[in-house]
Every structure is written in structure tokens, then in C-alpha cells.
């Protein structure tokens, strides 16, 4: 426990800067008048300050030498002749105008390119259950949830793919090296989900494993990838939601957007062409993570730092895969209509067509640590929520069907997509969890159930994508032990897994499959 | 009458006016040197790196966009050069000797490091650089706020932490003497 003197000593540097309120200054001065220890500490700080000033003065010679050295070097070098400047180097006054955002700083640049890269060395689809995380968001509109999941997908995306990096010059390894040096970045991020709504966020990321996103509705999300926690702040309601993601498999993938960017070269970021944007040269690289997900990076040819990045995720064609998503409002349980939560999960091919564009990059920005703290500001009501992020496997599907049949007096869903059909599942969850309790607690319980349903449907969608999924649960009731409800080909096996009407999971051979 | 604002100096420099560029150098030399010293922790190396940064900046000035962006841009160039230098030095030391300790920067011949300098160089980089820039660049919270892209309150907090940690390091040294 800190003593009063510890507190005083903590505040003394601020007093020397003259940044304390008068009342606090008086309080500290009173304390100093009768505390020899703090008084000595204050004198020592003043001595340090004077010595630092003297040190800086003593280094003025270094500064003069720098200026003289630069002056001499410029004298010796050829003077750039304005008449000799070609198209590539002659400054364009329009370009040198402040064409970037008024609040943009340092290296913010707006880059556009219409390059259409062709995917090369498309790797095989990753194994199921590898690194797809579910994101639980609190939004007023579900498109944000979907897009936010896409953003998380980008960070937590599927595992190591055997992409081939053709080590030609320029190499993405050089870009990765610059990203590794920078270790902090801010950028603008624009989401376009299907044809329709788009929105923009501002993101800052820094090592170790910290990310902060300012959402367009005014809320803020702070993520700590090391601890697996996320703090969601709602300034308008003065509420905060601290989420802890539990049950995730041991991470084998990069855990920060910066690490993910660096690692692209290991996965196969291929240089495809040089380009020019404005008066600058850029190198363009493409990473085709899987048949449905492509990342394009435009990197400044001089600094090797990204100036624009585009992620495009497309649904698997001709598969008609529903993206699992459920939204509930606190109002459903008698609470505030302004507080809505959504869960959705996406993965390669199981996604709405989404383009995420990042630009206005600023690198090497020194952010204040307070921006990434997982404690809410004073006066905020804090809720805590553990989110199960264990892999979605067949056990999760059984759990989802068990939950569903428990809410429907034993009836299986007509189609597996019903698990997340808003018109069907929402009334069921509200009926189950709405009671006389606190709406916040009821919403939390309902969202935990929604989490299970999301996971079950996502598993089924993966099997659909593989082409082995079959569902026959319509009109089947719980307890019918001999009736197969759904089946799919088991991973790395010639067998098929079946869930029967009594919710039993079993393996059968292809010969025994229902006709 | 010569260029008055930094933007005008940049424009004039691009037109070949070396005097205008020298004025930019004068405006930013202290801050750039402080950054280099904060990373390299060696005065002569920091001088060389700062000088190289400005020379490189002159060669690449056409790539600079946005008014009053010269300061952050040139500091980024300086930082990159310093990190490259450290990597080369580490490789050189590893190749030349197995026994040299890398825990402290090599002071080089003729360097007389006071306890204060030693303590400053032991600060973590996120405190060392702002502290050096503050004292070397005219003790301006506002310019440090712009450099770090944080609020003035954030600057004062950072400086407070730096001073407290510096005091702690100095006390520790005094006890070991």
C-alpha cells in the first residue's frame, strides 16, 4: 500500500512542470515544509532538471557539427537543376499541398491504385477449426458485427498455408522488416460489406499485441491479444464491457495485426508489379490466403512501408452458405433498446462479400499507454463477460441441436440454417431467457446460448463447403434414436459422422449412409 | 525575402535552394540529434546518423507530402538509419569478439560519461527519447506533443515518468559507489 509520501513523490515531477492545480500545489508545498524526505527528493529532482539542461547545452557542439556537416555535403553535391528535373522528380505544387486529412499527421498519405492482381500459388484450403474466431460485438446494426468479424478474421485467420514466395526483387521480406521495426501504426479502415453499407473506423496498433479501434458510432474497442481480453467502451451510455475469450486453442498464428502483416511473406506474399501513385513509386504484393481471401499491399518503394492494404473476402460460389449471425437487444429482456449485441462468425468462403481497405498509414507513432488500458474511465458501469471460443466441432453441433430442441419442445430445425435465422431463433431465445431478472444478465445468458448456436451452424457450413453435409432433421423429434438427423464425412477418415434423433453421435461407413 | 514557413522552405529546397534546406536543418537538428542519441546512446554515432538523415532527406525531399510534415518525416528517416546502424554494429561485434558484453553501449575512446548521461541512457526508449528531445529541443511540451502525437497532458505524464525513473537510477548508482 502506498504511503502519503509515495503519493507526494509521484506528483513532484508534475509540480516542477507547473502542471498541478493550485490546490494540489499548496497541499504538496505544505507537506514539503515538514517532511525532510520528500523535501530532499524535490531538491534532487530540481538538480536533475538543471543537470539535464546543462547536458543539453554541452551537446550544442554536436548540433553545430551536424548542421555544418550537412551544409558542407550539400555544397559538394550537385545542385539539383530545376531545368533538368524530369517528370518523376519535378515537384508538383498540387501534390505538395496539404491534400491529406487536416488531422492527419506524419506519414498519412492517401494512395489509390486500380491494380487488379492475379492470384498465384493458391494454397489448399486450410484444415477446419484452425484459428477462426468468433467475435461478439455490441452494435446497433449487424453489419458492423459482420465486418468486425471479418476484421478479426484477418487477424486470426486460418493457419499456416504452404504458399510459395518467389524471392524476386522487390521482396515482401523487406516490407516485413520495416513493419517489424515500426512496431506501432495507425490507419484508417473502411469496410464495404456486400453491396450496400460501408463505414469507416480508425485503428491504432502497437506492440505488444495491442489494438484500439474507434467505431463510427462513437464506441471504442481495445483489444489485448496477449491476455485474450477486449474492452468495449460506450461513452454515450457510460458503460463498458470487458470480454475474456476462453477456451481458444493454443495460438500458433500471429496475434497482432502487425505480426500478421509481417508474416505474409512466409505465407507467400508475391510481388506482382511496380506502380506509381502520384509522384511515388510503390511495389505491389499479393497474398492469396485461400481461394476466397486475398490481401493486396502497396508498399512505398523507398521506405518499404505499406501505404495501402486491401483485404477482399468472398463467399464460396454456388454454395449459398449462410453466415452465422445472431443479434439481440437488451430491450428484448425489458432493458434499454440502445444496447444491442451481435455475434457472428466467418471463415474462408463462409462470409459476406467484404472489402476492407486500410490507408492513411502513420508508422512509428508513439502512443500513450493509456489508450490501451483495459480499465474503463471513471464513472463507467463495468460488465464482465467470458466468451467461449473453443473450437467449433461436432460436439458443438450436438450442443447447438440440444439447445434448439430444448427450446422447441423436441423439434429439430427444419433446416440447419434455422439455428441462426433471426425470425426463428430470436423469439426462442427471448422466450427462454426473458424473466424477472436483470435485463443485462438475461441478455448475457441469451448471448451465451447464441454463441453455441453460432458455433453449431458454422461447423455445419464448413461441412457444406467441403461438400459432404447432409441434413434430414425436418419433422424429426428428439428421442427417435434410429433416425439420422444430419451427417458428414469425418476429417481425415473414410467414415462419416452422424447425429441421430436422440442426439447421439456415431461413426458409420459410407455403405451405411442413409439413402 | 527568403522562405518564411517550413512549407515554403521545403518548396524552395526542391527548387534547389540549399540555404532554405539548411534552415530546415537548423530548425530540426536538435530534435533529430536527440532521437539519434536516444537510440544509439553514443554521441559521435548520433551525430553521424543525424547528418546522414538530413542528407538523405535532401535527396528524397520530392517524396514528402503535406505541409509542416518535414519534422516527423526526417525523424523517421533518422530512426531507420539508427536501427540499421545498431544491427550492423551487433553483427560486427558478434563477428569480432565472443566476449564483449552487449549490455552497455560502448562509450568509445575519449568519452567521459557522467552518471547522469549513463542513467539517461539506461532509461527505456519510450522514456529516453522524449526526455532527450524535450531538453535538447528547447523544452517545449507543445513540440514534443506534436512529435509523439499525443496530448500535452500525455507529454507531461511521459516526462514525469522519465524523471522519476531517472531519479531512481541515479539513487541506485549512488548506493553502489
Amino acid at each position: 500500500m502506498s504511503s502519503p509520501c509515495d503519493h507526494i513523490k509521484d506528483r513532484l515531477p508534475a509540480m516542477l512542470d507547473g502542471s498541478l492545480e493550485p490546490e494540489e500545489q499548496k497541499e504538496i508545498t505544505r507537506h514539503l515544509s515538514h517532511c525532510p524526505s520528500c523535501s530532499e527528493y524535490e531538491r534532487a529532482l530540481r538538480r536533475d532538471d538543471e543537470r539535464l539542461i546543462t547536458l543539453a547545452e554541452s551537446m550544442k557542439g554536436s548540433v553545430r557539427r551536424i548542421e555544418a556537416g550537412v551544409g558542407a555535403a550539400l555544397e559538394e553535391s550537385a545542385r539539383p537543376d530545376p531545368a533538368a528535373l524530369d517528370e518523376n522528380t519535378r515537384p508538383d505544387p498540387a501534390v505538395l499541398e496539404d491534400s491529406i486529412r487536416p488531422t492527419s499527421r506524419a506519414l498519412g498519405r492517401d494512395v489509390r491504385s486500380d491494380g487488379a492482381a492475379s492470384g498465384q500459388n493458391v494454397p489448399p484450403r486450410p484444415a477446419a477449426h484452425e484459428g477462426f474466431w468468433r467475435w461478439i460485438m455490441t452494435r446497433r446494426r449487424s453489419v458492423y458485427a459482420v465486418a468486425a468479424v471479418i476484421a478479426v478474421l484477418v487477424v486470426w485467420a486460418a493457419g499456416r498455408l504452404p504458399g510459395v514466395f518467389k524471392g524476386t526483387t522487390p521482396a515482401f521480406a523487406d516490407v516485413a522488416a520495416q513493419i517489424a521495426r515500426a512496431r506501432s501504426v495507425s490507419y484508417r479502415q473502411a469496410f464495404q460489406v456486400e453491396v450496400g453499407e460501408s463505414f469507416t473506423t480508425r485503428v491504432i496498433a502497437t506492440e505488444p499485441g495491442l489494438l484500439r479501434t474507434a467505431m463510427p458510432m462513437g464506441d471504442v474497442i481495445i483489444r489485448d491479444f496477449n491476455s485474450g481480453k477486449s474492452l468495449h467502451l460506450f461513452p454515450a451510455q457510460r458503460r463498458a464491457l470487458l470480454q475474456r475469450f476462453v477456451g481458444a486453442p493454443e495460438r500458433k498464428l500471429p496475434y497482432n495485426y502487425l505480426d500478421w502483416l509481417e508474416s505474409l511473406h512466409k505465407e507467400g506474399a508475391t510481388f506482382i508489379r511496380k506502380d506509381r501513385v502520384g509522384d511515388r513509386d510503390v511495389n505491389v504484393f499479393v497474398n492469396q490466403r485461400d481461394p476466397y481471401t486475398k490481401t493486396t499491399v502497396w508498399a512505398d518503394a523507398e521506405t518499404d512501408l505499406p501505404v495501402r492494404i486491401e483485404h477482399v473476402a468472398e463467399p464460396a460460389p454456388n454454395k449459398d452458405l449462410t453466415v452465422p449471425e445472431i443479434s439481440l437487444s437488451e430491450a428484448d429482456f425489458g432493458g434499454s433498446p440502445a444496447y444491442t449485441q451481435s455475434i457472428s462468425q466467418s471463415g474462408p468462403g463462409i462470409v459476406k462479400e467484404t472489402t476492407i481497405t486500410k490507408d492513411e498509414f502513420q508508422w512509428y507513432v508513439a502512443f500513450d499507454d493509456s489508450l490501451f488500458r483495459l480499465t474503463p474511465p471513471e464513472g463507467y458501469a463495468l460488465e464482465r463477460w467470458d466468451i467461449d471460443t473453443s473450437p467449433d466441432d461436432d460436439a458443438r453441433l450436438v450442443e447447438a441441436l440440444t439447445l434448439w430442441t430444448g427450446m422447441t419442445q423436441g423439434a429439430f430445425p427444419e433446416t440447419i440454417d434455422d439455428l441462426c435465422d433471426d425470425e426463428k431463433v430470436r423469439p426462442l431465445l427471448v422466450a427462454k431467457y426473458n424473466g424477472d431478472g436483470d435485463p443485462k444478465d438475461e441478455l448475457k445468458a441469451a448471448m451465451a446460448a447464441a454463441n453455441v448456436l453460432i458455433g453449431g451452424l458454422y461447423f455445419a457450413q464448413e461441412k457444406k463447403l467441403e461438400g459432404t453435409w447432409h441434413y434430414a432433421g425436418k419433422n424429426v423429434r428428439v428421442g427417435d434414436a434410429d433416425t439420422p438427423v444430419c451427417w458428414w464425412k469425418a476429417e481425415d477418415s473414410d467414415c462419416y459422422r452422424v447425429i441421430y434423433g436422440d442426439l447421439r453421435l456415431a461413426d458409420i461407413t459410407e455403405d451405411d449412409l442413409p439413402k | 525575402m527568403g522562405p518564411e514557413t517550413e512549407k515554403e522552405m521545403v518548396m524552395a529546397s526542391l527548387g534547389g535552394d540549399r540555404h532554405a534546406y539548411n534552415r530546415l536543418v537548423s530548425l530540426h537538428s536538435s530534435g533529430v540529434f536527440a532521437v539519434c542519441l536516444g537510440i544509439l546512446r553514443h554521441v559521435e554515432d548520433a551525430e553521424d546518423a543525424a547528418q546522414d538523415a538530413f542528407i538523405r532527406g535532401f535527396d528524397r525531399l520530392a517524396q514528402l507530402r503535406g505541409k509542416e510534415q518535414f519534422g516527423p518525416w526526417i525523424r523517421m528517416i533518422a530512426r531507420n538509419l539508427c536501427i540499421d546502424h545498431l544491427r550492423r554494429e551487433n553483427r560486427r561485434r558478434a563477428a569480432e569478439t565472443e566476449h564483449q558484453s552487449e549490455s552497455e553501449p560502448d562509450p568509445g575512446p575519449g568519452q567521459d560519461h557522467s552518471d547522469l548521461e549513463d542513467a539517461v541512457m539506461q532509461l527505456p526508449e519510450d522514456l529516453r527519447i522524449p526526455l532527450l528531445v524535450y531538453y535538447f529541443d528547447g523544452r517545449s511540451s507543445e513540440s514534443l506533443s506534436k512529435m509523439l502525437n499525443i496530448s500535452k497532458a500525455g507529454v507531461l505524464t511521459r516526462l514525469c515518468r522519465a524523471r522519476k525513473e531517472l531519479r531512481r537510477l541515479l539513487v541506485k548508482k549512488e548506493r553502489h559507489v
Side-chain angles (χ1 to χ4, degrees), chain A residues 10 17 48-49 51 62-63 65 67 75 79 82 96-97 99 105-107 181 279 302 364 366, chain B residues 7 11 15 18 29 47 60 62-65 69 76 79-80 84 115 135 148-149 163-164 167:
Chain A
D10 262 352
D17 282 329
D48 293 343
D49 184 57
R51 291 180 72 197
S62 291
V63 174
R65 279 191 288 278
E67 293 171 9
E75 285 291 336
R79 181 196 305 229
L96 290 174
E97 290 298 318
S99 59
R105 291 168 291 274
L107 305 177
R181 280 180 188 155
D279 61 345
E302 283 292 331
Y364 292 100
Chain B
K7 178 186 169 185
M11 299 284 285
R18 294 191 306 280
S29 53
E47 286 182 25
R60 297 179 180 183
Q63 298 167 20
L64 173 63
R65 293 180 64 171
Q69 298 302 310
M76 186 204 74
R79 188 183 176 94
N80 275 347
D84 285 342
D115 61 331
Y135 281 96
L148 297 179
N149 197 27
R163 290 197 181 97
K164 278 166 53 182
R167 181 91 299 267

Side-chain angles (χ1 to χ4, degrees), chain A residues 44-329:
Chain A
L45 285 177
R46 289 192 186 277
R47 281 197 301 273
D48 293 343
D49 184 57
E50 287 161 9
R51 291 180 72 197
L52 283 165
I53 293 171
T54 304
L55 176 66
E57 285 294 323
S58 72
M59 297 275 186
K60 286 245 191 268
S62 291
V63 174
R64 284 193 291 273
R65 279 191 288 278
I66 293 165
E67 293 171 9
V70 173
L74 294 184
E75 285 291 336
E76 287 178 18
S77 66
R79 181 196 305 229
D81 180 354
L85 290 173
D86 62 19
E87 287 291 330
N88 292 335
T89 53
R90 182 175 296 121
D92 179 349
V95 168
L96 290 174
E97 290 298 318
D98 185 6
S99 59
I100 55 178
R101 286 158 52 93
T103 56
S104 188
R105 291 168 291 274
L107 305 177
R109 292 173 187 170
D110 200 358
V111 174
R112 292 288 178 264
S113 171
D114 61 354
S118 61
Q120 297 181 13
N121 303 318
V122 174
R125 205 170 70 79
H129 320 307
E130 240 185 297
F132 295 121
W133 273 45
R134 176 167 314 130
W135 199 253
I136 296 173
M137 303 298 298
T138 302
R139 290 284 173 275
R140 293 189 178 86
R141 301 158 93 175
S142 62
V143 65
Y144 295 156
V146 172
V149 169
I150 301 291
V152 175
L153 168 71
V154 166
V155 176
W156 297 98
R160 298 167 298 251
L161 303 174
V164 173
F165 174 58
K166 295 188 193 299
T168 59
T169 305
F172 193 81
D174 295 329
V175 178
Q178 289 301 328
I179 295 166
R181 280 180 188 155
R183 307 317 288 167
S184 70
V185 63
S186 79
Y187 53 87
R188 181 180 68 169
Q189 180 167 251
F191 290 87
Q192 177 73 50
V193 182
E194 294 185 324
V195 178
E197 296 183 49
S198 64
F199 64 96
T200 301
T201 65
R202 288 217 73 100
V203 181
I204 58 177
T206 187
E207 284 304 319
L210 302 169
L211 194 81
R212 179 184 173 107
T213 306
M215 303 299 292
M217 303 295 284
D219 46 336
V220 172
I221 306 169
I222 301 163
R223 296 169 196 152
D224 182 341
F225 293 97
N226 295 303
S227 64
K229 291 182 185 172
S230 168
L231 181 70
H232 198 154
L233 298 172
F234 303 90
Q237 294 90 28
R238 298 187 72 74
R239 288 172 77 164
L241 178 62
L242 182 65
Q243 297 168 328
R244 191 170 63 124
F245 300 94
V246 296
E250 182 185 344
R251 272 201 298 268
K252 298 176 184 176
L253 295 167
Y255 57 88
N256 188 335
Y257 185 63
L258 292 170
D259 291 308
W260 183 86
L261 275 181
E262 277 177 67
S263 72
L264 282 183
H265 74 280
K266 292 179 191 165
E267 295 183 356
T270 307
F271 170 72
I272 57 168
R273 71 172 187 278
K274 284 190 173 292
D275 206 336
R276 277 187 70 79
V277 180
D279 61 345
R280 275 187 301 145
D281 292 325
V282 294
N283 296 318
V284 187
F285 301 87
V286 165
N287 168 266
Q288 186 81 41
R289 185 172 283 273
D290 56 65
Y292 318 106
T293 314
K294 186 169 82 175
T295 299
T296 307
V297 179
W298 289 262
D300 187 307
E302 283 292 331
T303 66
D304 285 323
L305 281 169
V307 294
R308 174 186 163 99
I309 296 173
E310 186 180 82
H311 305 291
V312 178
E314 294 176 338
N318 305 318
K319 294 285 184 180
D320 194 27
L321 297 173
T322 303
V323 177
E325 183 180 358
I326 294 176
S327 290
L328 291 168
S329 168

Side-chain angles (χ1 to χ4, degrees), chain A residues 238-482:
Chain A
R238 298 187 72 74
R239 288 172 77 164
L241 178 62
L242 182 65
Q243 297 168 328
R244 191 170 63 124
F245 300 94
V246 296
E250 182 185 344
R251 272 201 298 268
K252 298 176 184 176
L253 295 167
Y255 57 88
N256 188 335
Y257 185 63
L258 292 170
D259 291 308
W260 183 86
L261 275 181
E262 277 177 67
S263 72
L264 282 183
H265 74 280
K266 292 179 191 165
E267 295 183 356
T270 307
F271 170 72
I272 57 168
R273 71 172 187 278
K274 284 190 173 292
D275 206 336
R276 277 187 70 79
V277 180
D279 61 345
R280 275 187 301 145
D281 292 325
V282 294
N283 296 318
V284 187
F285 301 87
V286 165
N287 168 266
Q288 186 81 41
R289 185 172 283 273
D290 56 65
Y292 318 106
T293 314
K294 186 169 82 175
T295 299
T296 307
V297 179
W298 289 262
D300 187 307
E302 283 292 331
T303 66
D304 285 323
L305 281 169
V307 294
R308 174 186 163 99
I309 296 173
E310 186 180 82
H311 305 291
V312 178
E314 294 176 338
N318 305 318
K319 294 285 184 180
D320 194 27
L321 297 173
T322 303
V323 177
E325 183 180 358
I326 294 176
S327 290
L328 291 168
S329 168
E330 200 177 274
D332 292 326
F333 305 94
S336 166
Y339 197 53
T340 299
Q341 293 196 9
S342 297
I343 302 181
S344 60
Q345 178 152 350
S346 302
I350 308 169
V351 67
K352 295 180 183 178
E353 186 172 340
T354 302
T355 300
I356 304 173
T357 304
K358 300 174 181 0
D359 60 11
E360 295 187 7
F361 281 92
Q362 299 173 25
W363 297 91
Y364 292 100
V365 188
F367 299 115
D368 198 79
D369 293 343
S370 62
L371 291 171
F372 302 98
R373 281 200 201 114
L374 291 180
T375 49
E378 205 172 312
Y380 274 59
L382 176 64
E383 299 163 48
R384 296 172 189 273
W385 188 5
D386 280 355
I387 298 166
D388 180 7
T389 53
S390 48
D392 296 319
D393 53 13
D394 40 27
R396 179 78 81 189
L397 178 57
V398 171
E399 192 183 357
L401 290 172
T402 304
L403 174 64
W404 178 276
T405 55
M407 295 190 293
T408 58
Q409 290 81 50
F412 282 89
E414 290 188 4
T415 73
I416 198 64
D417 288 351
D418 286 356
L419 290 180
C420 294
D421 183 325
D422 192 63
E423 288 186 9
K424 294 180 181 175
V425 72
R426 189 175 180 138
L428 291 174
L429 290 171
V430 172
K432 181 176 173 66
Y433 293 100
N434 189 25
D436 297 326
D438 187 332
K440 292 190 190 58
D441 294 336
E442 290 174 354
L443 174 61
K444 188 191 283 190
M447 292 308 291
N451 196 37
V452 171
L453 298 173
I454 293 276
L457 178 58
Y458 186 79
F459 176 80
Q461 302 297 57
E462 286 186 311
K463 297 306 157 191
K464 283 188 198 176
L465 192 57
E466 289 172 9
T468 69
W469 172 263
H470 291 84
Y471 185 79
K474 187 175 178 181
N475 299 324
V476 177
R477 299 200 68 84
V478 163
D480 193 346
D482 295 325

